[in-house]
Amino acid sequence: MSFEKIGLIKPIRDAISELGYTEPTPIQDRTIGLVLAKKDVFATAQTGTGKTAAFMLPIIQRLRDNKPLSPKAVRVIVMTPTRELAMQIEEETKKYLKYMDSSVALLVGGKSLEAQEKQLENGIDILIATPGRLREHIIKKSIDLKHLEIFVIDEADRMLDMGFVTDIRLIHAELQRRHQTLLFSATYTDKVRKLSRLVLRKPEFVETARQNKTIDAINQHIYLVDADRKAALLSFLIGSKNYQQVLVFTKTKKSADILVEELKLDGLKADVIHGDKTLAQRNKTLTKFKKKELHVLVATDIASRGIDIEQLPQVINYELPTVAEDYVHRIGRTGRAGHDGEAITLLDINDKEQMKVIERLIHVKIPRSEIEGFEVDITKKATYDDIKSNRPKKVYPKPTHSRIAGEKGGTSKAPQKKNARVGKKRKTTKRSGK
Ligand code: ADP
Ligand code: MG
């Protein structure tokens, strides 16, 4: 469904369209209508699936009457476990509100109670709070809860894991029973279920298809590399590690085509699927890849969607996707029954900011390192603020990488050839060893 069919009004659609949201995620698809219909909702969906917008977009729409606020009144409270999450939600909410008029405030620890009281004085439409601080203000009576229309418990599982159960119970006891309650959780545990029975009335349940593994089960790693050395590094990695079945993602059709030609020149069995290939062509390529007649499949996000290639040992992000969520789709294809998958990102300076967006999305800071012989140009190093701490280490993140460093006794020819080229090309840094 589209955001329009779900029932979101134009000013909200315009704001999210500017953020690059083209269509609702499954959880949004199924939750937004229920929130608009004033139902209590119990929703579980994996991290990174867009739960914030699933509740915030319809909430913003619900507030569009812009009712005048009496002193200390609050129309919506969103409770979330940590200050960082609260700040993230506030930031997103402000973006969603670009063409709307509701007010938002943050109520978290670390700021003075007095300053926050002042902020609440004239009333607030949407209050985003952590449990401890919210409870303090309720006790101090700096919030008037009589006007509360919607109460959201975000990341309920985490909140309970962090021991906030008493705070939540106390807060809940203070609320009058007229409001709508929305409970969001990444996992469906007994504790969450128990809480849901306490706080929800006749809830609608929304559970989006659980993937067989979470992001935690995927071994993620970033190699920092200059843009003009990426193709060489990719060939080198594939050759030296002797990858038999690797799916490589690019951002555009054009870069997919260019890359596959380079890989072929390096002697790798590679082919490409993207939107310009007919379905028949794509299927043929895919069959070869599944039979391991092709070792490398280069794909764009759109072409890879909906096709049956899952459970691969390795996924490589040659370029990052424009839509951060696609990163999750990409790496979700790794991992074979019972084994952890591996997802490698070749990160050049152009994608640095997007990498941060993705890390925020998946709530993981991915380790970064460089491969010997492919280090980032020293003269550009200053712009790579996050390299510095990694730079001096000559240690490789996983033992298997040590072979790359020396590459003596490498099993494949590709790295040897690669390095001949490396020697010629590289002028700014010196190769260690041979
Ligand atoms: P969750 O709470 O499920 O872990 P978030 O609500 O934090 O996930 O959303 C994750 C990211 O996805 C955010 O960066 C958000 O901006 C983005 N996002 C949310 N909905 C969409 C959408 N429909 N299209 C594209 N990106 C989206
Ligand atoms: Mg969330």
Side-chain angles (χ1 to χ4, degrees), residues 46-52 55 80 85 88-89 154-155 158 184 363:
Q46 258 186 305
T47 297
T49 51
K51 292 193 284 297
T52 311
F55 61 77
T80 195
L85 281 169
Q88 257 184 51
I89 295 174
D154 183 39
E155 311 262 352
R158 237 165 115 188
F184 282 79
H363 306 298

Side-chain angles (χ1 to χ4, degrees), residues 226 349 375-384 391 427-429:
D226 286 328
I349 198 97
E375 292 91 342
V376 172
D377 187 339
I378 219 87
T379 56
K380 293 182 211 150
K381 195 177 133 192
T383 48
Y384 255 113
R391 199 50 182 277
K427 290 187 182 107
T428 40
T429 36

